[in-house]
């Protein structure tokens, strides 16, 4: 499937102009014999303007570029004075930086801005079930039909934003969108890198600039919920995630208050992964870090390190709706695949670990 210019308008994408020339290339130009399909390139003269990356399963991604080419479009022109031309093929194009809005379908939909590193819409985050390629046209028709003039204005503003770097801190309340109509709210509970930089003791096995965040049990069309009202709500279990969504302004800070003492931080427990000091068992829950010698102590499980860090939350709109209806986090724990000691199914293991660590 390929998008139409009408659909591109409602997705914030650059249109394909009539004078642009369409060229198809093999998916895998390094080893043509392994190619199973063709990607589509659009040229404005000798400038590559758009690429549609296609796959056999029907998934595709549409990116915009401004890549000068040379030698009858067989080479990508150098981007710097010291650079060298590179052969124009799929591998080398993907090493170049796209710009602006992009659209991706891979069983779900993502509409995002590469330049700002912000996401306008994610069907997975909105809780939309997997859709096959034959279901995509109906989804797009519904999307176009439900798009108001105000939506179009907001989408164009989103598409033409400049990249920004935003500040955040512990205790911040933030707002985000599950979809085009519904907002969610959450809170930053712990800035791990800042804590370590300030001398705090922490089991430092989390990759990247990591924040501990929680998402409130609320889905609303109100973009102005007061933080005093948010504090009264239950939250999904806190989790660690990268700071990108905050740094690039995808999630908007709406207020700040001191973090309470009784935060339910994620628990990390297991054998040290340090090659210089493996012979100890480590426990970390927020700012509470403890360790004991491996010798003479039982390691209850090797699977409770719980040190995976993602780019976003492990919840979506559907899961939060289920938690709200249940009035508990039981739906969250039923679908959580992580070995988190806070999960009620690990109540016995948690009791043993807390006793072992003298907590």
């Amino acid at each position: 499937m390929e998008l139409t210019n009408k659909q591109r308008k409602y997705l914030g994408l650059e249109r394909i102009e009539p004078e642009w020339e369409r060229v198809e290339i093999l998916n895998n130009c390094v080893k043509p014999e392994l190619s199973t399909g063709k990607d589509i390139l659009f040229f404005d003269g000798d400038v590559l303007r758009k690429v549609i990356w296609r796959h056999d399963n029907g998934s595709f991604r549409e990116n915009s570029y401004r890549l000068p080419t040379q030698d009858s479009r067989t080479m990508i022109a150098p981007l710097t004075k010291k650079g060298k031309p590179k052969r124009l093929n799929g591998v080398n194009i993907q090493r170049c930086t796209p710009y602006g809005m992009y659209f991706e379908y891979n069983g779900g939909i993502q509409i995002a801005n590469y330049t700002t590193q912000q996401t306008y819409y994610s069907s997975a985050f909105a809780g939309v079930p997997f859709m096959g390629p034959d279901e995509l046209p109906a989804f797009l028709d519904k999307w176009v039909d439900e798009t108001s003039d105000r939506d179009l204005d907001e989408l164009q503003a989103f598409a033409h934003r400049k990249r920004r770097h935003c500040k955040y801190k512990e205790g911040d309340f933030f707002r985000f969108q599950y979809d085009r109509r519904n907002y969610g709210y959450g809170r930053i509970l712990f800035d791990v890198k800042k804590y370590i930089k300030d001398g705090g003791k922490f089991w430092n096995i989390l990759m990247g600039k990591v924040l501990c965040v929680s998402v409130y049990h609320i889905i609303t069309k109100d973009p102005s919920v007061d933080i005093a009202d948010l504090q009264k709500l239950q939250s999904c279990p806190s989790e660690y995630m990268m700071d990108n969504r905050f740094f690039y302004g995808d999630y908007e800070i709406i207020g700040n208050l001191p973090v309470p003492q009784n935060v339910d931080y994620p628990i990390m427990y297991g054998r040290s992964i340090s090659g210089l000091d493996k012979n100890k068992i480590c426990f970390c829950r927020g700012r509470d870090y403890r360790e004991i010698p491996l010798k003479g102590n039982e390691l209850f499980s090797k699977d409770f390190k719980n040190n995976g860090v993602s780019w976003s939350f492990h919840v979506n709109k559907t899961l939060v709706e289920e938690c709200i209806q249940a009035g508990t986090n039981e739906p969250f724990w039923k679908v959580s695949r992580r070995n988190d000691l806070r999960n009620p199914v690990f109540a016995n293991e948690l009791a043993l670990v807390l006793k072992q660590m003298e907590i």
Side-chain angles (χ1 to χ4, degrees), residues 19-204:
E19 64 270 19
W20 292 3
E21 184 177 348
R22 174 192 174 108
V23 176
E24 294 187 359
I25 63 172
L26 296 175
N27 285 142
N28 190 325
C29 293
V30 176
K31 297 181 179 180
E33 68 275 10
L34 300 180
S35 178
T36 57
K38 293 183 178 181
D39 297 318
I40 304 171
L41 280 56
F42 290 90
F43 289 90
D44 182 8
D46 287 334
V47 178
L48 178 62
R49 294 300 307 271
K50 193 178 284 285
V51 178
I52 302 174
W53 309 100
R54 301 195 297 184
H55 304 281
D56 288 345
N57 62 2
S59 63
F60 67 95
R61 179 182 177 118
E62 182 170 317
N63 283 117
S64 291
Y65 292 87
R66 290 174 181 152
L67 284 181
T69 66
Q70 62 186 50
D71 300 336
S72 301
R73 299 177 184 165
T74 61
M75 306 293 287
I76 300 173
L79 301 180
T80 64
K81 292 182 178 180
K82 295 184 179 180
K84 296 181 179 180
K86 297 180 180 178
R87 185 168 297 280
L88 190 141
N89 56 38
V91 173
N92 286 331
I93 294 173
Q94 290 187 57
R95 290 171 177 165
C96 299
T97 304
Y99 78 95
M101 297 290 287
Y102 67 88
F103 175 90
E104 183 171 16
Y105 162 74
N106 57 0
I109 301 294
Q110 180 151 308
I111 306 167
N113 189 320
Y114 189 92
T115 300
T116 62
Q117 293 293 290
Q118 294 180 339
T119 300
Y120 181 78
Y121 177 83
S122 163
S123 62
F125 195 46
V128 177
F130 177 93
M131 67 182 83
D134 57 330
E135 299 173 282
L136 179 58
F139 177 92
L140 293 174
D141 288 344
K142 186 172 183 290
W143 177 276
V144 171
D145 290 342
E146 293 179 349
T147 301
S148 66
D149 290 340
R150 181 177 178 180
D151 291 330
L152 279 176
D153 290 340
E154 290 179 351
L155 184 53
Q156 285 302 308
F158 181 91
H160 293 93
R161 285 179 187 172
K162 294 182 179 180
R163 181 178 292 194
R164 55 178 178 160
H165 295 164
C166 302
K167 295 182 179 180
Y168 57 81
K169 56 182 178 293
E170 290 179 6
D172 280 345
F173 295 83
F174 59 90
R175 175 181 58 232
F176 57 91
Q177 287 189 254
Y178 284 110
D179 52 33
R180 292 200 289 180
R181 303 286 181 261
N182 293 284
Y183 293 90
Y185 292 83
R187 195 167 187 195
I188 299 176
L189 303 172
F190 186 26
D191 186 334
V192 174
K193 288 300 181 183
K194 183 178 185 303
Y195 178 70
I196 295 174
K197 183 178 179 180
D198 292 343
K201 188 67 173 177
F202 187 84
W203 194 12
N204 193 14

